[in-house]
Coordinates of all heavy atoms in Angstrom, one line a residue:
L13 N 7.7 -3.2 14.7 CA 8.3 -4.4 14.3 C 7.7 -5.7 15.0 O 7.9 -6.8 14.5 CB 9.8 -4.4 14.5 CG 10.6 -3.4 13.6 CD1 12.0 -3.4 13.9 CD2 10.4 -3.8 12.1
M14 N 7.2 -5.5 16.1 CA 6.6 -6.6 16.9 C 5.2 -7.0 16.5 O 4.3 -7.3 17.3 CB 6.7 -6.3 18.4 CG 8.1 -6.2 19.0 SD 9.0 -7.7 18.9 CE 10.2 -7.3 17.6
R15 N 5.0 -7.1 15.2 CA 3.7 -7.5 14.6 C 4.0 -8.5 13.5 O 5.1 -8.7 13.1 CB 2.9 -6.3 14.1 CG 2.5 -5.3 15.2 CD 1.8 -4.1 14.6 NE 1.5 -3.1 15.7 CZ 1.0 -1.9 15.5 NH1 0.7 -1.5 14.3 NH2 0.8 -1.1 16.5
F16 N 2.9 -9.2 13.1 CA 3.0 -10.3 12.2 C 3.7 -9.9 10.9 O 4.7 -10.6 10.5 CB 1.7 -10.9 11.9 CG 1.7 -12.0 10.8 CD1 2.2 -13.3 11.1 CD2 1.4 -11.7 9.5 CE1 2.2 -14.2 10.1 CE2 1.4 -12.6 8.5 CZ 1.9 -13.9 8.8
G17 N 3.3 -8.9 10.2 CA 3.9 -8.5 9.0 C 5.4 -8.3 9.0 O 6.1 -8.9 8.3
P18 N 5.8 -7.3 9.8 CA 7.3 -7.1 9.9 C 8.1 -8.3 10.3 O 9.2 -8.5 9.8 CB 7.4 -5.9 10.9 CG 6.1 -5.2 10.8 CD 5.1 -6.3 10.6
L19 N 7.6 -9.1 11.3 CA 8.3 -10.2 11.8 C 8.4 -11.3 10.7 O 9.5 -11.9 10.5 CB 7.6 -10.9 13.0 CG 7.6 -10.1 14.3 CD1 6.7 -10.7 15.3 CD2 9.0 -9.9 14.8
M20 N 7.4 -11.4 9.9 CA 7.4 -12.4 8.8 C 8.3 -11.9 7.7 O 9.1 -12.7 7.1 CB 6.0 -12.5 8.2 CG 5.9 -13.6 7.1 SD 6.1 -15.3 7.8 CE 6.0 -16.3 6.4
A21 N 8.3 -10.6 7.4 CA 9.2 -10.0 6.4 C 10.7 -10.2 6.8 O 11.5 -10.7 6.0 CB 8.9 -8.6 6.2
M22 N 11.0 -9.9 8.1 CA 12.4 -10.0 8.5 C 12.8 -11.5 8.6 O 14.0 -11.8 8.3 CB 12.5 -9.4 9.9 CG 12.4 -7.9 10.0 SD 13.8 -7.0 9.1 CE 13.1 -6.7 7.5
A23 N 11.9 -12.4 9.0 CA 12.2 -13.8 9.0 C 12.5 -14.3 7.6 O 13.5 -15.1 7.4 CB 11.1 -14.6 9.7
T24 N 11.7 -13.9 6.6 CA 11.9 -14.4 5.3 C 13.3 -13.9 4.7 O 14.0 -14.7 4.1 CB 10.8 -13.9 4.4 OG1 9.6 -14.4 4.9 CG2 11.0 -14.4 2.9
I25 N 13.6 -12.6 4.9 CA 14.9 -12.1 4.5 C 16.0 -12.8 5.2 O 17.0 -13.2 4.5 CB 14.9 -10.6 4.8 CG1 14.0 -9.8 3.9 CG2 16.4 -10.0 4.6 CD1 13.8 -8.4 4.3
G26 N 15.9 -13.1 6.5 CA 17.0 -13.8 7.2 C 17.2 -15.2 6.7 O 18.3 -15.7 6.6
I27 N 16.1 -15.9 6.5 CA 16.2 -17.3 6.0 C 16.9 -17.4 4.7 O 17.8 -18.2 4.5 CB 14.8 -18.0 5.9 CG1 14.2 -18.2 7.3 CG2 14.8 -19.3 5.2 CD1 12.7 -18.6 7.4
V28 N 16.5 -16.5 3.7 CA 17.1 -16.6 2.4 C 18.5 -16.2 2.5 O 19.4 -16.8 1.8 CB 16.3 -15.6 1.4 CG1 17.0 -15.6 0.1 CG2 14.8 -16.1 1.3
W29 N 18.8 -15.1 3.2 CA 20.2 -14.6 3.3 C 21.1 -15.7 3.9 O 22.2 -15.9 3.5 CB 20.2 -13.3 4.1 CG 21.5 -12.6 4.1 CD1 22.0 -11.8 3.1 CD2 22.6 -12.7 5.0 NE1 23.2 -11.3 3.4 CE2 23.7 -11.9 4.6 CE3 22.8 -13.3 6.2 CZ2 24.8 -11.7 5.3 CZ3 23.9 -13.2 7.0 CH2 25.0 -12.3 6.5
C30 N 20.7 -16.3 5.0 CA 21.5 -17.3 5.6 C 21.7 -18.5 4.7 O 22.8 -19.1 4.7 CB 20.8 -17.8 7.0 SG 20.9 -16.6 8.3
G31 N 20.7 -18.9 4.0 CA 20.8 -20.1 3.0 C 21.8 -19.7 2.0 O 22.7 -20.6 1.6
G32 N 21.8 -18.5 1.5 CA 22.8 -18.1 0.4 C 24.2 -18.0 1.0 O 25.1 -18.3 0.3
L33 N 24.3 -17.6 2.3 CA 25.6 -17.4 2.9 C 26.3 -18.8 3.1 O 27.5 -18.9 2.8 CB 25.4 -16.7 4.3 CG 26.7 -16.4 5.0 CD1 27.6 -15.4 4.2 CD2 26.4 -15.9 6.4
I34 N 25.5 -19.8 3.5 CA 26.0 -21.1 3.6 C 26.5 -21.7 2.3 O 27.6 -22.3 2.2 CB 25.0 -22.1 4.3 CG1 24.7 -21.7 5.7 CG2 25.4 -23.5 4.2 CD1 23.5 -22.4 6.3

Side-chain angles (χ1 to χ4, degrees):
L13 291 177
M14 293 297 105
R15 295 178 182 174
F16 172 78
L19 290 175
M20 188 65 183
M22 289 293 97
T24 301
I25 291 172
I27 290 171
V28 177
W29 190 82
C30 288
L33 185 64
I34 293 172

